[in-house]
Amino acid sequence: MDLPVLNTSAEPGGCDSNSCGSTGDQLSHLPEHIRAKVHNHPCYSEQAHHYFARMHVAVAPACNIQCHYCNRKYDCSNESRPGVVSEVLTSAQAVKKVMAVAANIPQMTVLGIAGPGDPLANPERTFATFRELSSRAPDIKLCVSTNGLALPESIDELCKHNIDHVTITINCVDPDVGAKIYPWIFWNNKRIMGREGAAILIEQQQKGLEMLAARGILVKVNSVMIPGVNDEHLVEVSKVVKAKGAFLHNVMPLIAEPEHGTFYGLMGQASPTHEELQKLQDACSGDMNMMRHCRQCRADAVGMLGEDRGQEFTLDKIEDMEIDYPAAMVKRAEVHAQIARELEIKDQAKTAKAELVAIQGFKASVPDTRPVLMAVATKGGGVINEHFGHAREFLVYEASHAGVRFISHRKTTPYCEGGDTCGDGESALDVTIRELSGCEVVLCSKVGYEPWGPLEAAGIQPNGEHAMEAIEDAVLAVYAEMRAAGKLDAKPLAQRKAA
Ligand code: CLF
Ligand code: SF4
């Protein structure tokens, strides 16, 4: 028997607490002008991130503040975190790169400027890039991510270039908390330290948010969760930014390793666990639409959110590329129309299923069984289409008597590429099993014989029976099987072992 798929509504003024919190699967309840802005933006719509790609151009090297979690000097091409890039571009080079990527990755719908410093602390390069692209590639959405210090003075210029998505990183609304995150800001040609600097930054962020909302620009707020510093405070931040008109809140885990050379990395500041992050996101979601699919991209990332194809588009490589943009525009339009048809068919199927569920009064008859986390290997398209051993990340869904919701992603080293051991002696399979903690099932297009036993021993049931099926349908089907087999009466194996 099928279980219902949740209505992942994201009405302004209230988020279904069971939804993924992003604009999710069904955008139909949103006003047409908002739907047009988010339906193909992979960050603003959870559904869109299965189908559409984004790219960043690193044209903004300078920053006007210092965060304790940032060191822009460190680069590793395998490293995915904000502030990290391999090469800084001029605006002319950036435009060339965007045209090359748009011609080669027709799913790329959004160009973001997100660093490696602060885009609005580098206004000439940032706005020259936006100006050129808005005339040469009008089908690409323009997006910017800022710490907010220079936001109020930049809003007229942002509006001139049709930028209708702005992200502000807001980690606090209390200067005492801010003083623990920001050692200084650079303001009116002076370095202002500690609490005083944090207070100015907060004021500018809040003012910028209100000004953007008043102009009808969609604002996403990113917050870095720093345990013991702002974790409890972020619930209050979520309430405040929602009241001021933010569309979406993205609470991201702190990344702090000693080798990054950041203040937090060197002082041993802890990052949150998967469970702590989910708990905070759930606590915030009562007041706010939450984004849970962020990949904490590099400032030069290219491709779908879970991948980075930046190395295919380095300056020397794009120099040799022949780019016929008019032909590429035709190809892009065809690919986007194909995706739109596919999504329409999926939406119709979901609506039909929801109607059937309503007619049968099914929901009321479902017993109140415990929720189950399931990991899914996918290459995109909203289906289970990745081999266990090739997966670089797993998406985690929660199935319960109320339906299914997207929870998070977990990064890992592909088991088939990992060799015998990596890092400190852990095998790639050990790392994957550790990353999948809390999950009871892993759904993939195929699972080899070798990892089967260790996965089962860790309480994670491998499952290759739903290859090429829609993710939510497969998760719900497995949940129904588990219920029928009486597996939801017992606690998960990991919990039984711990007891
Ligand atoms: Fe880039 Fe940011 Fe625009 Fe997206 S990323 S500027 S809104 S196009 Fe997206 Fe990357 Fe998370 Fe940013 S997954 S880090 S939220
Ligand atoms: Fe680094 Fe961004 Fe903070 Fe500037 S605002 S210090 S670039 S993380």
Side-chain angles (χ1 to χ4, degrees):
M1 197 181 336
D2 260 345
L3 288 160
V5 175
L6 287 176
N7 174 7
T8 53
S9 70
E11 295 284 0
C15 165
D16 179 336
S17 63
N18 289 315
S19 81
C20 78
S22 69
T23 49
D25 303 307
Q26 295 165 347
L27 305 174
S28 55
H29 59 285
L30 292 171
E32 179 56 39
H33 70 284
I34 304 272
R35 212 167 33 177
K37 285 181 183 176
V38 302
H39 81 282
N40 62 356
H41 195 306
C43 304
Y44 282 69
S45 159
E46 196 272 323
Q47 182 185 58
H49 103 282
H50 294 287
Y51 300 91
F52 296 104
R54 56 71 185 104
M55 73 174 289
H56 290 161
V57 284
V59 294
C63 191
N64 46 8
I65 69 171
Q66 180 62 56
C67 306
H68 274 324
Y69 47 75
C70 178
N71 175 8
R72 299 190 300 285
K73 289 189 198 120
Y74 178 92
D75 178 30
C76 158
S77 61
N78 294 318
E79 181 71 4
S80 180
R81 67 192 161 92
V84 171
V85 296
S86 293
E87 48 190 7
V88 174
L89 308 181
T90 64
S91 50
Q93 289 169 329
V95 170
K96 194 160 186 190
K97 181 170 177 177
V98 176
M99 306 303 272
V101 173
N104 286 281
I105 307 180
Q107 296 88 345
M108 192 276 282
T109 49
V110 178
L111 176 270
I113 300 184
D118 186 76
L120 303 182
N122 302 259
E124 294 82 14
R125 283 185 184 201
T126 295
F127 289 119
T129 307
F130 283 145
R131 192 177 311 123
E132 187 70 11
L133 283 171
S134 57
S135 66
R136 288 182 59 181
D139 67 323
I140 296 175
K141 282 182 195 300
L142 303 177
C143 191
V144 67
S145 177
T146 175
N147 61 42
L149 184 64
L151 184 55
E153 74 206 40
S154 310
I155 285 179
D156 287 342
E157 192 70 25
L158 286 167
C159 290
K160 270 193 215 156
H161 305 295
N162 266 345
I163 295 161
D164 49 19
H165 298 79
V166 174
T167 296
I168 316 172
T169 300
I170 299 180
N171 294 320
C172 55
V173 289
D174 176 345
D176 287 324
V177 178
K180 296 180 198 158
I181 303 171
Y182 308 107
W184 55 260
I185 67 163
F186 199 72
W187 178 246
N188 289 340
N189 299 318
K190 277 197 303 229
R191 194 170 291 229
I192 299 180
M193 315 297 289
R195 190 183 187 281
E196 192 189 345
I200 295 168
L201 176 64
I202 291 167
E203 195 184 327
Q204 289 292 99
Q205 290 170 335
Q206 298 298 317
K207 190 168 160 195
L209 165 56
E210 286 171 319
M211 290 170 75
L212 289 168
R215 306 262 188 127
I217 294 175
L218 288 187
V219 181
K220 172 164 69 62
V221 168
N222 282 359
S223 301
V224 180
M225 177 185 179
I226 310 161
V229 175
N230 71 345
D231 45 352
E232 290 174 5
H233 178 59
L234 284 177
V235 177
E236 170 70 9
V237 171
S238 212
K239 282 191 182 125
V240 170
V241 299
K242 182 196 170 189
K244 294 196 173 173
F247 176 76
L248 198 59
H249 191 193
N250 173 24
V251 178
M252 309 177 290
L254 172 74
I255 302 171
E257 300 293 341
E259 60 270 29
H260 297 159
T262 62
F263 176 81
Y264 282 149
L266 294 171
M267 72 173 271
Q269 167 66 49
S271 301
T273 63
H274 298 305
E275 292 73 21
E276 286 165 347
L277 179 66
Q278 189 193 329
K279 204 169 153 203
L280 177 59
Q281 289 171 333
D282 286 347
C284 293
S285 70
D287 285 279
M288 191 68 192
N289 300 324
M290 301 302 293
M291 175 182 187
R292 299 186 194 235
H293 60 282
C294 176
R295 303 306 202 276
Q296 294 176 278
C297 316
R298 293 165 58 95
D300 57 4
V302 174
M304 305 292 280
L305 290 197
E307 66 180 8
D308 189 358
R309 296 175 59 181
Q311 289 308 309
E312 295 171 40
F313 300 95
T314 51
L315 282 180
D316 53 334
K317 287 184 183 147
I318 59 174
E319 210 44 60
D320 302 331
M321 282 182 193
E322 293 283 329
I323 303 162
D324 178 351
Y325 201 68
M329 286 278 274
V330 174
K331 173 77 179 156
R332 288 169 58 76
E334 282 170 8
V335 169
H336 295 184
Q338 170 64 32
I339 294 172
R341 279 194 296 277
E342 206 178 300
L343 288 174
E344 197 178 336
I345 292 167
K346 279 192 175 171
D347 277 352
Q348 282 166 356
K350 269 183 194 161
T351 306
K353 194 190 274 180
E355 280 168 4
L356 189 64
V357 163
I359 291 164
Q360 293 173 339
F362 178 83
K363 201 165 175 176
S365 69
V366 175
D368 195 356
T369 42
R370 69 176 172 84
V372 172
L373 293 185
M374 298 191 204
V376 171
T378 176
K379 285 190 275 203
V383 294
I384 297 167
N385 55 2
E386 181 65 294
H387 191 296
F388 174 82
H390 298 163
R392 293 184 178 279
E393 65 171 19
F394 292 86
L395 303 188
V396 175
Y397 289 80
E398 182 190 77
S400 72
H401 70 281
V404 64
R405 63 173 183 154
F406 174 76
I407 293 286
S408 66
H409 74 287
R410 308 267 177 94
K411 277 183 197 161
T412 187
T413 305
Y415 164 67
C416 290
E417 291 174 19
D420 287 342
T421 58
C422 56
D424 50 9
E426 257 189 324
S427 72
L429 181 57
D430 291 340
V431 174
T432 301
I433 288 175
R434 177 163 49 76
E435 280 299 309
L436 297 186
S437 71
C439 298
E440 294 179 56
V441 179
V442 58
L443 289 154
C444 353
S445 60
K446 265 189 180 174
V447 195
Y449 176 73
E450 205 180 326
W452 197 281
L455 279 165
E456 275 191 331
I460 305 167
Q461 183 60 50
N463 186 321
E465 287 165 21
H466 295 272
M468 299 315 293
E469 284 181 23
I471 293 171
E472 287 175 345
D473 290 351
V475 168
L476 289 169
V478 172
Y479 189 69
E481 283 163 21
M482 289 176 79
R483 193 180 63 214
K487 291 186 182 166
L488 302 184
D489 303 333
K491 282 186 181 166
L493 179 64
Q495 279 180 25
R496 292 203 303 274
K497 276 184 179 171

